[in-house]
Amino acid sequence: MQIQRAFQTGSTSTKIAVALCIISATAFFVTRSLGDPQSKADAMLSIGKQIGDANIQLHNDTGCFASKPAVLFDKATASIAANNFCNRPLDGSWKGPYMAPFPIKSDGNLVANDISAEVTAALPNSINMNGRKKFFIRFNNVPKGVLKQALIECNGDNENQGDFQFDRCRTTVNLADDLPGDFEIVYSSI
């Protein structure tokens, strides 16, 4: 009888341990699927890389960088001169699509639903720094937790706003408050 009770006690402990493991794993995957700041920062950096790589390929084919993200996947948008920094139609030399399509807002900015429905990506004009033009992507209205995590992943530090003179990513918002802000990534320097 005693041997059987010991076995039953051990069996119950094993069942409890297995149940706790299953609950822990489920909680982990639910948290990831709900979008913790790290997975959203990863998504933002991935979208930024897609846009940057696509714009570099467009530049290689046409000699121009897009000023509207839709140019990278829509030939009709590429045919409008105002949608690139050369200010000329690109439809003759456009060999895209250069990336998968994303939803576009009426202002021409890309909607980054993987981060948040409020986050958009734009292609602002380049900035001149040390005699070089730096082309970058600007994500607007990024939640602060995502922004800080992206700064860590991109620059190795979330206490510093970043500076394009030294870093690939930056923000101009106050990192001490909880308000959303802009996040920028350099994709080309010529």
Side-chain angles (χ1 to χ4, degrees):
M1 244 341 159
Q2 277 184 325
I3 295 172
Q4 192 174 17
R5 275 190 191 191
F7 177 73
Q8 287 175 343
T9 303
S11 176
T12 303
S13 298
T14 303
K15 288 178 184 177
I16 291 172
V18 168
L20 287 173
C21 286
I22 291 170
I23 291 169
S24 296
T26 304
F28 171 77
F29 289 115
V30 167
T31 301
R32 295 295 274 178
S33 69
L34 291 176
D36 66 308
Q38 183 174 355
S39 63
K40 289 184 178 199
D42 290 343
M44 183 169 65
L45 293 172
S46 176
I47 293 167
K49 181 165 176 31
Q50 289 174 52
I51 295 169
D53 289 349
N55 219 358
I56 289 168
Q57 186 60 50
L58 174 75
H59 183 265
N60 291 342
D61 290 348
T62 66
C64 295
F65 284 113
S67 60
K68 299 289 183 193
V71 169
L72 303 171
F73 52 81
D74 181 52
K75 190 171 186 174
T77 305
S79 69
I80 301 168
N83 291 339
N84 66 73
F85 292 118
C86 294
N87 218 14
R88 63 180 166 85
L90 302 180
D91 51 340
S93 55
W94 191 85
K95 297 177 184 169
Y98 298 95
M99 64 180 282
F102 277 81
I104 298 292
K105 293 186 80 162
S106 60
D107 62 4
N109 290 341
L110 179 145
V111 179
N113 285 326
D114 288 351
I115 306 160
S116 166
E118 294 81 32
V119 175
T120 60
L123 295 167
N125 204 345
S126 64
I127 57 171
N128 290 314
M129 192 170 283
N130 298 331
R132 299 180 64 107
K133 281 186 173 183
K134 295 206 177 217
F135 291 87
F136 60 99
I137 302 147
R138 176 178 294 140
F139 287 91
N140 303 296
N141 206 28
V142 179
K144 192 60 59 92
V146 175
L147 195 147
K148 285 182 168 186
Q149 185 63 40
L151 282 171
I152 290 172
E153 292 183 33
C154 192
N155 298 342
D157 181 8
N158 74 347
E159 302 300 322
N160 180 339
Q161 290 179 317
D163 180 345
F164 281 167
Q165 189 166 352
F166 309 105
D167 301 314
R168 190 172 68 96
C169 299
R170 73 176 183 184
T171 184
T172 55
V173 299
N174 179 357
L175 294 173
D177 66 30
D178 287 330
L179 299 174
D182 295 343
F183 183 80
E184 299 172 339
I185 307 170
V186 170
Y187 63 88
S188 183
S189 183
I190 54 175

